[in-house]
Coordinates of all heavy atoms in Angstrom, one line a residue:
M1 N 32.2 -23.4 55.3 CA 33.5 -22.9 55.7 C 34.0 -21.9 54.7 O 34.0 -22.2 53.5 CB 34.5 -24.0 55.9 CG 35.9 -23.6 56.3 SD 37.0 -25.0 56.4 CE 36.3 -26.0 57.7
P2 N 34.4 -20.7 55.1 CA 34.9 -19.7 54.1 C 36.1 -20.2 53.4 O 36.9 -21.0 53.9 CB 35.3 -18.5 55.0 CG 34.5 -18.7 56.3 CD 34.3 -20.1 56.5
I3 N 36.3 -19.7 52.2 CA 37.4 -20.1 51.3 C 38.7 -20.0 52.0 O 39.6 -20.8 52.0 CB 37.4 -19.4 50.0 CG1 36.2 -19.8 49.2 CG2 38.6 -19.7 49.2 CD1 36.0 -19.0 47.9
A4 N 38.9 -18.9 52.7 CA 40.2 -18.6 53.4 C 40.6 -19.7 54.4 O 41.7 -19.9 54.7 CB 40.2 -17.2 54.0
E5 N 39.5 -20.3 55.0 CA 39.7 -21.3 56.1 C 39.8 -22.7 55.5 O 40.2 -23.6 56.2 CB 38.6 -21.2 57.1 CG 38.6 -19.9 57.8 CD 37.5 -19.8 58.8 OE1 36.9 -20.8 59.1 OE2 37.2 -18.7 59.3
R6 N 39.4 -22.9 54.3 CA 39.4 -24.2 53.7 C 40.8 -24.7 53.5 O 41.6 -24.0 53.0 CB 38.6 -24.2 52.3 CG 38.5 -25.5 51.7 CD 37.6 -25.4 50.5 NE 38.2 -24.4 49.6 CZ 37.6 -24.0 48.5 NH1 36.4 -24.4 48.2 NH2 38.2 -23.1 47.7
V7 N 41.0 -25.9 53.9 CA 42.3 -26.5 53.8 C 42.3 -27.5 52.6 O 41.5 -28.4 52.5 CB 42.7 -27.3 55.0 CG1 44.1 -28.0 54.9 CG2 42.7 -26.4 56.3
E8 N 43.1 -27.1 51.6 CA 43.2 -27.9 50.4 C 44.4 -28.8 50.4 O 45.4 -28.4 51.0 CB 43.2 -27.1 49.2 CG 41.9 -26.3 48.9 CD 41.9 -25.6 47.6 OE1 42.3 -26.2 46.6 OE2 41.6 -24.4 47.6
K9 N 44.3 -30.0 49.8 CA 45.4 -30.9 49.7 C 46.5 -30.2 48.8 O 46.1 -29.6 47.8 CB 45.0 -32.2 49.0 CG 46.1 -33.2 48.8 CD 45.6 -34.4 48.1 CE 46.8 -35.3 47.8 NZ 46.4 -36.4 47.0
K10 N 47.7 -30.2 49.2 CA 48.8 -29.6 48.4 C 49.5 -30.7 47.6 O 49.6 -31.9 48.0 CB 49.8 -29.0 49.4 CG 49.3 -28.0 50.4 CD 48.9 -26.7 49.7 CE 48.6 -25.7 50.8 NZ 47.7 -24.7 50.4
V11 N 49.9 -30.3 46.4 CA 50.7 -31.2 45.5 C 52.0 -30.5 45.3 O 52.1 -29.4 44.9 CB 49.9 -31.3 44.2 CG1 50.7 -32.2 43.2 CG2 48.5 -31.9 44.4
R12 N 53.1 -31.3 45.5 CA 54.4 -30.8 45.3 C 54.8 -31.1 43.8 O 54.6 -32.2 43.3 CB 55.4 -31.5 46.2 CG 56.8 -30.9 46.1 CD 57.7 -31.5 47.2 NE 57.3 -31.1 48.5 CZ 57.7 -29.9 49.1 NH1 58.4 -29.0 48.4 NH2 57.3 -29.6 50.3
T13 N 55.4 -30.1 43.2 CA 55.8 -30.2 41.8 C 57.1 -29.4 41.6 O 57.5 -28.6 42.4 CB 54.7 -29.7 40.9 OG1 55.0 -30.0 39.5 CG2 54.5 -28.2 41.0
T14 N 57.7 -29.7 40.5 CA 58.9 -29.0 40.1 C 58.6 -28.2 38.8 O 58.0 -28.7 37.9 CB 60.1 -30.0 39.9 OG1 60.2 -30.7 41.1 CG2 61.3 -29.3 39.5
V15 N 59.1 -27.0 38.8 CA 58.9 -26.1 37.7 C 60.2 -25.5 37.3 O 61.0 -25.1 38.1 CB 57.9 -25.0 38.0 CG1 57.7 -24.0 36.8 CG2 56.6 -25.5 38.4
S16 N 60.5 -25.6 36.0 CA 61.7 -24.9 35.5 C 61.4 -23.6 34.9 O 60.6 -23.4 34.1 CB 62.4 -25.8 34.4 OG 62.7 -27.0 34.9
L17 N 62.0 -22.5 35.5 CA 61.8 -21.2 35.1 C 63.0 -20.5 34.5 O 64.1 -20.9 34.9 CB 61.4 -20.3 36.4 CG 60.2 -20.8 37.2 CD1 60.1 -20.0 38.5 CD2 58.9 -20.5 36.3
P18 N 62.8 -19.6 33.6 CA 64.0 -18.8 33.2 C 64.6 -18.1 34.4 O 63.8 -17.6 35.3 CB 63.4 -17.8 32.2 CG 62.1 -18.4 31.8 CD 61.6 -19.2 32.9
E19 N 65.9 -18.1 34.5 CA 66.6 -17.6 35.7 C 66.1 -16.1 36.0 O 65.9 -15.7 37.2 CB 68.1 -17.6 35.6 CG 68.8 -17.2 36.9 CD 70.3 -17.4 36.8 OE1 70.8 -17.8 35.7 OE2 71.0 -17.2 37.8
S20 N 66.0 -15.3 35.0 CA 65.6 -13.9 35.2 C 64.2 -13.8 35.8 O 64.0 -12.9 36.6 CB 65.7 -13.1 33.9 OG 64.8 -13.7 32.9
L21 N 63.3 -14.6 35.4 CA 62.0 -14.6 35.9 C 62.0 -15.0 37.4 O 61.3 -14.4 38.2 CB 61.1 -15.6 35.1 CG 59.6 -15.6 35.5 CD1 58.9 -14.3 35.4 CD2 58.9 -16.7 34.7
Y22 N 62.7 -16.1 37.7 CA 62.8 -16.6 39.0 C 63.4 -15.5 39.9 O 62.9 -15.2 41.0 CB 63.7 -17.8 39.1 CG 64.1 -18.2 40.5 CD1 63.2 -19.0 41.3 CD2 65.3 -17.8 41.1 CE1 63.5 -19.3 42.6 CE2 65.6 -18.2 42.4 CZ 64.7 -18.9 43.1 OH 65.1 -19.3 44.4
E23 N 64.5 -14.8 39.5 CA 65.2 -13.8 40.3 C 64.3 -12.6 40.5 O 64.3 -12.0 41.6 CB 66.5 -13.4 39.7 CG 67.6 -14.5 39.7 CD 67.9 -14.9 41.1 OE1 67.8 -14.0 42.1 OE2 68.4 -16.0 41.3
E24 N 63.5 -12.2 39.5 CA 62.6 -11.1 39.6 C 61.5 -11.4 40.6 O 61.2 -10.6 41.5 CB 62.0 -10.6 38.3 CG 61.2 -9.4 38.4 CD 60.9 -8.8 37.0 OE1 60.9 -9.5 36.0 OE2 60.5 -7.6 37.0
A25 N 60.9 -12.5 40.5 CA 59.9 -12.9 41.5 C 60.5 -13.0 42.9 O 59.9 -12.5 43.9 CB 59.3 -14.3 41.1
R26 N 61.6 -13.6 43.0 CA 62.3 -13.7 44.3 C 62.5 -12.3 44.9 O 62.3 -12.1 46.1 CB 63.6 -14.5 44.2 CG 64.3 -14.8 45.4 CD 65.5 -15.7 45.1 NE 66.3 -15.8 46.3 CZ 67.4 -15.1 46.5 NH1 67.8 -14.3 45.6 NH2 68.1 -15.3 47.6
S27 N 63.0 -11.4 44.1 CA 63.3 -10.0 44.6 C 62.0 -9.3 45.0 O 62.0 -8.6 46.0 CB 64.0 -9.2 43.5 OG 63.1 -8.8 42.5
F28 N 60.9 -9.6 44.4 CA 59.6 -9.0 44.8 C 59.2 -9.5 46.2 O 58.8 -8.7 47.0 CB 58.5 -9.3 43.8 CG 58.5 -8.6 42.5 CD1 57.9 -9.1 41.4 CD2 59.2 -7.4 42.4 CE1 57.9 -8.5 40.2 CE2 59.3 -6.7 41.2 CZ 58.6 -7.3 40.1
V29 N 59.5 -10.7 46.5 CA 59.2 -11.3 47.8 C 60.1 -10.8 48.8 O 59.7 -10.3 49.9 CB 59.2 -12.9 47.7 CG1 59.0 -13.4 49.1 CG2 58.1 -13.4 46.8
I30 N 61.4 -10.7 48.5 CA 62.4 -10.3 49.5 C 62.2 -8.8 49.8 O 62.2 -8.4 51.0 CB 63.8 -10.5 48.9 CG1 64.2 -12.0 48.9 CG2 64.9 -9.7 49.7 CD1 65.4 -12.3 48.2
K31 N 61.9 -8.0 48.8 CA 61.7 -6.5 49.0 C 60.3 -6.2 49.5 O 59.9 -5.0 49.7 CB 61.9 -5.8 47.7 CG 63.4 -5.8 47.3 CD 63.5 -5.1 45.9 CE 64.9 -5.3 45.4 NZ 65.1 -4.7 44.0
K32 N 59.5 -7.2 49.7 CA 58.1 -7.1 50.1 C 57.2 -6.2 49.2 O 56.4 -5.5 49.7 CB 58.0 -6.6 51.6 CG 58.7 -7.6 52.5 CD 58.4 -7.3 54.0 CE 59.2 -8.2 54.9 NZ 59.0 -9.6 54.8
V33 N 57.6 -6.2 47.9 CA 56.8 -5.5 46.9 C 55.4 -6.2 46.7 O 54.4 -5.6 46.4 CB 57.5 -5.4 45.6 CG1 56.7 -4.8 44.5 CG2 58.8 -4.7 45.8
S34 N 55.5 -7.5 46.9 CA 54.3 -8.4 46.8 C 53.7 -8.7 48.2 O 54.5 -8.8 49.1 CB 54.7 -9.7 46.1 OG 53.7 -10.7 46.2
P35 N 52.4 -8.9 48.3 CA 51.9 -9.3 49.6 C 52.3 -10.8 49.9 O 52.1 -11.2 51.0 CB 50.4 -9.2 49.4 CG 50.1 -9.2 47.9 CD 51.4 -8.6 47.3
A36 N 52.8 -11.5 48.9 CA 53.2 -12.9 49.2 C 54.3 -12.9 50.2 O 55.3 -12.1 50.1 CB 53.7 -13.6 47.9
E37 N 54.2 -13.9 51.2 CA 55.2 -14.0 52.2 C 56.4 -14.9 51.9 O 57.4 -15.0 52.6 CB 54.6 -14.4 53.5 CG 53.6 -13.3 54.0 CD 52.9 -13.7 55.4 OE1 53.3 -14.7 56.0 OE2 52.0 -13.0 55.8
S38 N 56.2 -15.7 50.8 CA 57.2 -16.6 50.4 C 57.2 -16.7 48.9 O 56.2 -16.3 48.3 CB 57.0 -18.0 51.0 OG 55.8 -18.6 50.5
L39 N 58.2 -17.3 48.4 CA 58.3 -17.5 46.9 C 57.2 -18.5 46.5 O 56.6 -18.3 45.5 CB 59.7 -18.0 46.5 CG 60.0 -17.9 45.1 CD1 59.9 -16.5 44.5 CD2 61.5 -18.4 44.8
N40 N 57.0 -19.5 47.3 CA 55.9 -20.4 47.0 C 54.6 -19.7 46.9 O 53.8 -19.9 46.0 CB 55.9 -21.5 48.1 CG 54.9 -22.6 47.7 OD1 55.1 -23.4 46.8 ND2 53.8 -22.6 48.4
S41 N 54.2 -18.9 47.9 CA 52.9 -18.2 47.9 C 52.8 -17.2 46.7 O 51.8 -17.0 46.2 CB 52.6 -17.6 49.2 OG 53.5 -16.6 49.5
F42 N 54.0 -16.7 46.3 CA 54.0 -15.8 45.2 C 53.6 -16.6 43.9 O 52.8 -16.1 43.1 CB 55.4 -15.2 45.0 CG 55.5 -14.2 43.9 CD1 55.3 -12.9 44.1 CD2 55.9 -14.7 42.6 CE1 55.4 -12.0 43.0 CE2 56.0 -13.8 41.5 CZ 55.8 -12.4 41.7
F43 N 54.2 -17.7 43.7 CA 53.9 -18.5 42.5 C 52.4 -19.0 42.6 O 51.8 -19.1 41.6 CB 54.9 -19.7 42.4 CG 56.2 -19.2 42.0 CD1 57.4 -19.7 42.6 CD2 56.4 -18.3 40.9 CE1 58.6 -19.3 42.2 CE2 57.7 -17.9 40.5 CZ 58.8 -18.4 41.2
V44 N 51.9 -19.4 43.8 CA 50.5 -19.9 43.9 C 49.6 -18.7 43.5 O 48.7 -18.9 42.7 CB 50.2 -20.4 45.3 CG1 48.7 -20.6 45.5 CG2 51.0 -21.7 45.6
A45 N 49.9 -17.5 44.0 CA 49.1 -16.3 43.6 C 49.1 -16.0 42.1 O 48.1 -15.7 41.5 CB 49.5 -15.1 44.4
A46 N 50.3 -16.2 41.6 CA 50.5 -15.9 40.1 C 49.7 -16.9 39.3 O 49.0 -16.5 38.3 CB 52.0 -16.0 39.7
V47 N 49.7 -18.2 39.7 CA 48.9 -19.2 39.0 C 47.4 -18.9 39.1 O 46.7 -19.0 38.1 CB 49.3 -20.6 39.4 CG1 48.4 -21.7 38.8 CG2 50.7 -21.0 39.1
H48 N 47.0 -18.6 40.3 CA 45.6 -18.2 40.5 C 45.2 -17.1 39.6 O 44.1 -17.1 39.0 CB 45.3 -17.8 42.0 CG 45.1 -18.9 42.9 ND1 43.9 -19.7 42.9 CD2 45.8 -19.4 43.9 CE1 43.9 -20.6 43.8 NE2 45.1 -20.5 44.4
A49 N 46.0 -16.0 39.5 CA 45.7 -14.9 38.7 C 45.6 -15.2 37.2 O 44.7 -14.8 36.5 CB 46.7 -13.8 38.9
Y50 N 46.5 -16.1 36.8 CA 46.5 -16.5 35.4 C 45.3 -17.4 35.1 O 44.7 -17.2 34.0 CB 47.8 -17.3 35.1 CG 48.1 -17.5 33.6 CD1 48.2 -16.4 32.8 CD2 48.1 -18.8 33.1 CE1 48.4 -16.6 31.4 CE2 48.3 -19.0 31.7 CZ 48.5 -17.9 30.9 OH 48.7 -18.1 29.5
I51 N 44.9 -18.2 36.0 CA 43.7 -19.1 35.8 C 42.5 -18.2 35.7 O 41.6 -18.3 34.9 CB 43.6 -20.1 36.9 CG1 44.6 -21.2 36.7 CG2 42.2 -20.7 37.0 CD1 44.7 -22.2 37.8
K52 N 42.4 -17.2 36.6 CA 41.3 -16.2 36.6 C 41.2 -15.5 35.2 O 40.1 -15.3 34.7 CB 41.5 -15.2 37.7 CG 40.3 -14.3 37.9 CD 40.6 -13.4 39.1 CE 39.5 -12.4 39.3 NZ 39.7 -11.5 40.5
L53 N 42.4 -15.1 34.7 CA 42.4 -14.4 33.4 C 41.9 -15.3 32.3 O 41.1 -14.9 31.4 CB 43.9 -14.0 33.1 CG 44.1 -13.4 31.7 CD1 43.5 -12.1 31.5 CD2 45.6 -13.3 31.4
I54 N 42.3 -16.6 32.3 CA 41.9 -17.6 31.3 C 40.4 -17.8 31.4 O 39.7 -17.8 30.4 CB 42.6 -18.9 31.4 CG1 44.1 -18.7 31.0 CG2 42.0 -20.0 30.6 CD1 45.0 -19.9 31.4
R55 N 39.9 -17.9 32.6 CA 38.4 -18.1 32.8 C 37.7 -16.9 32.3 O 36.6 -17.0 31.6 CB 38.1 -18.3 34.3 CG 38.5 -19.7 34.7 CD 38.1 -19.9 36.2 NE 38.5 -21.2 36.7 CZ 38.7 -21.5 37.9 NH1 38.6 -20.6 38.9 NH2 39.0 -22.7 38.3
R56 N 38.2 -15.7 32.5 CA 37.5 -14.5 32.1 C 37.5 -14.4 30.6 O 36.5 -14.1 29.9 CB 38.3 -13.2 32.6 CG 37.9 -11.9 32.0 CD 36.4 -11.6 32.1 NE 35.9 -11.5 33.4 CZ 34.6 -11.4 33.7 NH1 33.7 -11.4 32.7 NH2 34.2 -11.3 34.9
K57 N 38.6 -14.8 29.9 CA 38.6 -14.9 28.5 C 37.6 -15.9 27.9 O 37.0 -15.7 26.9 CB 40.0 -15.2 28.0 CG 41.0 -14.0 28.1 CD 42.3 -14.3 27.5 CE 43.2 -13.1 27.6 NZ 44.4 -13.2 26.8
Q58 N 37.5 -17.0 28.6 CA 36.5 -18.0 28.2 C 35.1 -17.5 28.3 O 34.2 -17.7 27.3 CB 36.6 -19.3 29.0 CG 37.8 -20.1 28.8 CD 38.0 -21.3 29.7 OE1 37.6 -21.2 30.9 NE2 38.7 -22.3 29.3
I59 N 34.8 -16.8 29.3 CA 33.4 -16.1 29.5 C 33.2 -15.1 28.4 O 32.1 -15.0 27.8 CB 33.3 -15.5 30.9 CG1 33.2 -16.6 31.9 CG2 32.1 -14.6 31.0 CD1 33.4 -16.2 33.4
D60 N 34.2 -14.3 28.2 CA 34.1 -13.2 27.2 C 33.9 -13.8 25.8 O 33.1 -13.3 25.0 CB 35.4 -12.4 27.1 CG 35.5 -11.4 28.3 OD1 34.5 -11.3 29.1 OD2 36.6 -10.9 28.5
A61 N 34.5 -15.0 25.5 CA 34.3 -15.6 24.2 C 32.9 -16.2 24.1 O 32.3 -16.1 23.0 CB 35.4 -16.8 24.1
K62 N 32.3 -16.6 25.2 CA 31.0 -17.1 25.1 C 30.0 -16.0 24.9 O 29.0 -16.1 24.1 CB 30.6 -17.9 26.4 CG 31.3 -19.2 26.5 CD 31.0 -19.9 27.8 CE 31.7 -21.2 27.9 NZ 31.4 -21.9 29.1
F63 N 30.2 -14.8 25.5 CA 29.4 -13.7 25.3 C 29.6 -13.2 23.8 O 28.6 -12.8 23.2 CB 29.7 -12.5 26.2 CG 29.0 -12.7 27.6 CD1 29.7 -12.9 28.7 CD2 27.6 -12.6 27.6 CE1 29.0 -13.0 29.9 CE2 26.9 -12.7 28.8 CZ 27.7 -12.9 30.0
A64 N 30.8 -13.2 23.3 CA 31.0 -12.8 21.9 C 30.2 -13.7 21.0 O 29.6 -13.2 20.0 CB 32.5 -12.8 21.6
A65 N 30.2 -15.0 21.3 CA 29.4 -15.9 20.4 C 27.9 -15.6 20.5 O 27.2 -15.7 19.5 CB 29.7 -17.4 20.9
M66 N 27.5 -15.3 21.7 CA 26.0 -14.9 21.8 C 25.7 -13.7 21.0 O 24.6 -13.7 20.4 CB 25.7 -14.6 23.3 CG 25.7 -15.9 24.2 SD 25.6 -15.4 25.9 CE 24.1 -14.6 26.1
A67 N 26.6 -12.8 20.9 CA 26.3 -11.5 20.1 C 26.2 -11.8 18.6 O 25.5 -11.1 17.9 CB 27.5 -10.5 20.3
E68 N 26.8 -12.9 18.2 CA 26.7 -13.3 16.8 C 25.5 -14.3 16.5 O 25.3 -14.6 15.3 CB 28.0 -13.9 16.3 CG 29.2 -13.0 16.4 CD 30.5 -13.6 16.1 OE1 30.5 -14.8 15.6 OE2 31.5 -13.0 16.3
D69 N 24.9 -14.7 17.6 CA 23.8 -15.7 17.4 C 22.5 -14.9 17.2 O 21.9 -14.2 18.0 CB 23.6 -16.5 18.7 CG 22.6 -17.6 18.7 OD1 21.6 -17.4 17.9 OD2 22.7 -18.5 19.4
S70 N 21.9 -15.1 15.9 CA 20.7 -14.3 15.6 C 19.5 -14.7 16.4 O 18.7 -13.8 16.7 CB 20.4 -14.5 14.1 OG 20.2 -15.8 13.8
D71 N 19.4 -16.0 16.8 CA 18.2 -16.4 17.6 C 18.3 -15.7 19.0 O 17.3 -15.2 19.5 CB 18.2 -17.9 17.8 CG 17.8 -18.6 16.5 OD1 17.2 -18.0 15.6 OD2 18.2 -19.8 16.4
Y72 N 19.5 -15.7 19.6 CA 19.7 -15.0 20.8 C 19.4 -13.5 20.7 O 18.7 -12.9 21.6 CB 21.1 -15.2 21.4 CG 21.4 -14.3 22.6 CD1 21.0 -14.7 23.8 CD2 22.1 -13.2 22.4 CE1 21.2 -13.9 24.9 CE2 22.4 -12.3 23.5 CZ 21.9 -12.7 24.7 OH 22.1 -11.9 25.8
R73 N 19.9 -12.9 19.7 CA 19.7 -11.4 19.5 C 18.2 -11.1 19.4 O 17.7 -10.2 20.0 CB 20.4 -10.9 18.3 CG 21.9 -10.8 18.5 CD 22.6 -9.9 17.5 NE 22.1 -10.0 16.1 CZ 22.7 -10.8 15.2 NH1 23.8 -11.4 15.4 NH2 22.2 -10.8 14.0
E74 N 17.5 -12.0 18.7 CA 16.0 -11.7 18.6 C 15.3 -11.9 19.9 O 14.5 -11.1 20.3 CB 15.5 -12.7 17.5 CG 14.0 -12.5 17.2 CD 13.7 -11.1 16.6 OE1 14.5 -10.5 15.9 OE2 12.6 -10.6 16.9
E75 N 15.7 -12.9 20.6 CA 15.1 -13.2 22.0 C 15.4 -12.0 22.9 O 14.5 -11.5 23.6 CB 15.6 -14.5 22.6 CG 15.0 -14.9 23.9 CD 13.5 -15.3 23.8 OE1 13.1 -15.7 22.7 OE2 12.8 -15.2 24.8
A76 N 16.6 -11.5 22.9 CA 17.0 -10.4 23.7 C 16.3 -9.2 23.4 O 15.8 -8.4 24.3 CB 18.5 -10.2 23.6
K77 N 16.0 -9.0 22.1 CA 15.2 -7.8 21.6 C 13.8 -7.9 22.1 O 13.2 -6.9 22.6 CB 15.3 -7.7 20.1 CG 14.5 -6.6 19.5 CD 14.6 -6.6 18.0 CE 13.7 -5.5 17.4 NZ 13.5 -5.6 16.0
L78 N 13.2 -9.1 22.1 CA 11.8 -9.3 22.5 C 11.7 -9.0 24.1 O 10.8 -8.4 24.5 CB 11.3 -10.7 22.2 CG 11.1 -11.0 20.7 CD1 10.8 -12.4 20.5 CD2 10.0 -10.1 20.2
I79 N 12.7 -9.5 24.8 CA 12.7 -9.3 26.2 C 12.9 -7.8 26.6 O 12.2 -7.3 27.4 CB 13.8 -10.1 26.9 CG1 13.5 -11.6 26.8 CG2 14.1 -9.7 28.4 CD1 14.6 -12.5 27.2
S80 N 13.8 -7.2 25.9 CA 14.0 -5.7 26.1 C 12.7 -4.9 25.8 O 12.3 -4.0 26.6 CB 15.1 -5.2 25.2 OG 15.3 -3.9 25.3
E81 N 12.0 -5.3 24.7 CA 10.8 -4.6 24.4 C 9.7 -4.9 25.4 O 8.9 -4.0 25.8 CB 10.3 -5.0 23.0 CG 11.1 -4.5 21.9 CD 10.8 -5.1 20.5 OE1 9.9 -6.0 20.4 OE2 11.4 -4.7 19.5
E82 N 9.6 -6.1 25.9 CA 8.6 -6.5 26.9 C 8.8 -5.7 28.2 O 7.9 -5.4 28.9 CB 8.7 -8.0 27.2 CG 7.7 -8.6 28.0 CD 7.7 -10.1 28.1 OE1 8.1 -10.7 27.1 OE2 7.4 -10.6 29.2
F83 N 10.1 -5.5 28.6 CA 10.3 -4.8 29.9 C 10.6 -3.3 29.7 O 10.9 -2.6 30.7 CB 11.5 -5.5 30.6 CG 11.2 -6.8 31.2 CD1 11.4 -8.0 30.5 CD2 10.6 -6.9 32.4 CE1 11.1 -9.2 31.0 CE2 10.2 -8.1 33.0 CZ 10.5 -9.3 32.3
S84 N 10.5 -2.8 28.5 CA 10.8 -1.3 28.3 C 10.0 -0.4 29.2 O 10.5 0.6 29.7 CB 10.7 -1.0 26.8 OG 9.4 -1.1 26.4
Q85 N 8.7 -0.7 29.3 CA 7.8 0.2 30.1 C 8.2 0.1 31.6 O 8.3 1.2 32.2 CB 6.3 -0.3 29.9 CG 5.3 0.6 30.7 CD 5.3 2.1 30.2 OE1 5.5 2.3 29.0 NE2 5.2 3.0 31.1
S86 N 8.4 -1.0 32.1 CA 8.8 -1.1 33.5 C 10.2 -0.5 33.8 O 10.5 0.1 34.8 CB 8.7 -2.5 34.1 OG 9.7 -3.4 33.4
D87 N 11.1 -0.7 32.8 CA 12.4 0.0 32.9 C 12.3 1.5 33.0 O 12.9 2.1 33.7 CB 13.3 -0.4 31.7 CG 13.8 -1.9 31.8 OD1 13.6 -2.5 32.8 OD2 14.3 -2.4 30.7
W88 N 11.4 2.0 32.1 CA 11.2 3.5 32.1 C 10.6 3.9 33.4 O 11.0 5.0 33.9 CB 10.3 3.8 30.9 CG 10.2 5.3 30.8 CD1 9.0 6.0 31.1 CD2 11.1 6.3 30.4 NE1 9.3 7.4 30.9 CE2 10.6 7.6 30.5 CE3 12.5 6.2 30.0 CZ2 11.3 8.7 30.2 CZ3 13.2 7.3 29.7 CH2 12.6 8.6 29.8
E89 N 9.7 3.2 33.9 CA 9.0 3.6 35.2 C 10.1 3.5 36.3 O 10.1 4.4 37.2 CB 7.9 2.6 35.5 CG 6.7 2.8 34.6 CD 5.6 1.7 34.7 OE1 5.8 0.8 35.6 OE2 4.7 1.8 34.0
A90 N 10.9 2.5 36.4 CA 12.0 2.5 37.4 C 12.9 3.6 37.2 O 13.3 4.2 38.2 CB 12.7 1.1 37.2
F91 N 13.3 4.0 36.0 CA 14.2 5.1 35.8 C 13.5 6.4 36.3 O 14.2 7.2 37.0 CB 14.5 5.3 34.3 CG 15.2 6.5 33.9 CD1 16.6 6.6 34.2 CD2 14.6 7.6 33.3 CE1 17.3 7.8 33.9 CE2 15.3 8.7 33.0 CZ 16.6 8.8 33.3
E92 N 12.2 6.6 36.0 CA 11.5 7.8 36.5 C 11.5 7.9 38.0 O 11.6 8.9 38.6 CB 10.1 7.9 35.9 CG 10.1 8.2 34.4 CD 8.7 8.2 33.9 OE1 7.8 7.4 34.3 OE2 8.4 9.0 32.9
N93 N 11.3 6.7 38.7 CA 11.3 6.7 40.1 C 12.6 7.1 40.7 O 12.7 7.8 41.7 CB 10.8 5.3 40.6 CG 9.4 5.1 40.4 OD1 8.6 6.0 40.3 ND2 9.0 3.8 40.3
V94 N 13.7 6.6 40.1 CA 15.0 7.0 40.6 C 15.3 8.5 40.4 O 15.8 9.1 41.3 CB 16.1 6.1 39.8 CG1 17.5 6.7 40.1 CG2 16.0 4.7 40.3
E95 N 14.8 9.0 39.3 CA 15.0 10.4 39.0 C 14.2 11.3 40.0 O 14.7 12.3 40.4 CB 14.6 10.8 37.6 CG 15.6 10.3 36.5 CD 16.9 10.9 36.6 OE1 17.0 12.2 36.6 OE2 17.9 10.2 36.7
K96 N 13.0 10.8 40.4 CA 12.2 11.6 41.4 C 12.9 11.6 42.7 O 12.9 12.6 43.4 CB 10.9 10.9 41.5 CG 9.9 11.2 40.3 CD 8.6 10.5 40.6 CE 7.8 10.5 39.3 NZ 6.5 9.7 39.5
D97 N 13.5 10.5 43.1 CA 14.2 10.3 44.4 C 15.5 11.1 44.5 O 16.0 11.4 45.6 CB 14.4 8.9 44.7 CG 13.1 8.1 45.0 OD1 12.1 8.8 45.2 OD2 13.1 6.9 44.9
A98 N 16.1 11.4 43.3 CA 17.4 12.0 43.3 C 17.4 13.5 43.6 O 16.5 14.2 43.7 CB 18.1 11.8 42.0

C-alpha cells in the first residue's frame, strides 16, 4: 500500500507554543501560503520536515566519521584503483555517444 494511502494511528497531544509562532503558522494556513489545509496538518508537516532534517544530519555525521577513518579511506582507495580502468572505459563510451 502506498504511503499516502496508509492509515496510521493518530495520537492526540497538547503542545504549548509561543503565541507569535502559533499566530504566524495560523496565518499561513488561513492565507493558504502553505499547502496545509488545517493548522493540525501544518504542524504535522513541520514535525515531519524537522525529523527529516535531524535524520539527514545523522547521516552526514556518519559520513564525516567515515572520512576520518583511516581503514575506510584505505579500502575506498583500493576499490577506486580497482575500478579505475572500467570507470575510464565507461566515461569514454559516454563521450562517444554524446
Side-chain angles (χ1 to χ4, degrees):
M1 179 182 297
I3 293 174
E5 295 178 15
R6 185 175 54 191
V7 177
E8 293 189 46
K9 179 182 174 187
K10 306 286 187 208
V11 178
R12 184 172 296 276
T13 189
T14 302
V15 178
S16 297
L17 302 170
E19 185 174 6
S20 61
L21 180 62
Y22 171 82
E23 290 299 334
E24 188 169 16
R26 186 170 170 266
S27 73
F28 287 157
V29 173
I30 290 169
K31 294 175 184 175
K32 300 194 184 302
V33 174
S34 162
E37 295 181 9
S38 68
L39 196 53
N40 186 73
S41 62
F42 182 91
F43 289 131
V44 169
V47 171
H48 275 290
Y50 192 61
I51 287 173
K52 186 176 177 179
L53 174 69
I54 292 170
R55 286 181 180 156
R56 169 53 64 191
K57 285 185 176 189
Q58 290 174 330
I59 291 169
D60 290 346
K62 288 179 182 178
F63 276 113
M66 289 169 62
E68 296 174 11
D69 182 335
S70 61
D71 290 338
Y72 169 78
R73 284 196 322 260
E74 185 61 32
E75 184 69 22
K77 180 181 174 188
L78 291 172
I79 291 170
S80 178
E81 290 170 357
E82 187 174 328
F83 285 95
S84 65
Q85 182 62 36
S86 63
D87 289 347
W88 182 252
E89 290 168 3
F91 173 75
E92 287 178 328
N93 287 336
V94 169
E95 287 295 308
K96 286 178 192 174
D97 293 341

